[in-house]
Amino acid sequence: MEPFGRLLNVVDVEATCWTGRPPQGQIHEIIEIGLCVVDLDSRERVARHRILVRPERSRVSPFCTELTGLTQEEVDGGVPFEEACAILERGHHARSRPWASWGDYDRKQFERQCVEGVDYPFGARHTNAKAAFSLAFGLSRRLGMAGALEHAGLPLEGRHHSGEDDAWNIGALVLEMAARDAWPGP
């Protein structure tokens, strides 16, 4: 049993997207869940995971592929959303472990998709890392993840808009805040 609050799940999702409105009959659906486990006691990122999710009511557009690097063929090999949520619960203690995301988009996207009969995989202890970063650095506006990395003097590791890489980078920002004793905790 892990000590409460020691480990934090940092989550970043990518969803189907288009240059404008979704095509008729399609909706925004999660196609990738990136997860970085941060050990707040040892102050290190200890694991990274990627779950590809097969969309049920949308297709990956050329714009989405250009942005995320994900193709329809790749996500066709993913798991259904319900199974992805079960993996988060079973394999990553999502219901009992505090979690964070950059802004509220990820949390709200899970809430939207879980309305359709899928159990919400997370507990109530969510931290908006984007808001926490603004407070920690005394910023009047909230920066995007890449801008926050630059502001903190940290490198962007991997590909921006890859859920796995973005979660890893957000984990680095969480650790930067923790080093300043500015991470709000669970």
Side-chain angles (χ1 to χ4, degrees), residues 4-8 40 97-99 125-127 183-186:
F4 176 75
R6 177 179 181 170
L7 298 180
L8 172 75
L40 291 166
R97 190 179 284 168
W99 70 291
R125 292 179 307 277
H126 173 262
T127 301
W183 180 249

Side-chain angles (χ1 to χ4, degrees), residues 20-106:
R21 300 180 134 241
Q24 182 74 26
Q26 295 191 46
I27 61 170
H28 295 280
E29 292 180 274
I30 294 171
I31 54 176
E32 180 190 12
I33 302 167
L35 186 137
C36 171
V37 180
V38 173
D39 185 324
L40 291 166
D41 286 354
S42 68
R43 303 268 168 103
E44 61 183 333
R45 297 173 288 182
V46 295
R48 64 189 291 161
H49 304 278
R50 177 186 199 209
I51 304 169
L52 288 180
V53 182
R54 184 172 52 250
E56 294 179 10
R57 300 191 307 177
S58 60
R59 306 267 314 152
V60 175
S61 69
F63 170 78
C64 191
T65 295
E66 185 178 319
L67 182 67
T68 67
L70 294 168
T71 65
Q72 184 65 47
E73 293 74 27
E74 281 179 284
V75 299
D76 282 345
V79 298
F81 178 68
E82 185 172 14
E83 187 176 332
C85 289
I87 291 168
L88 287 169
E89 282 188 59
R90 262 190 338 267
H92 305 291
H93 311 285
R95 194 165 308 279
S96 60
R97 190 179 284 168
W99 70 291
S101 61
W102 197 258
D104 282 326
Y105 172 82
D106 307 82

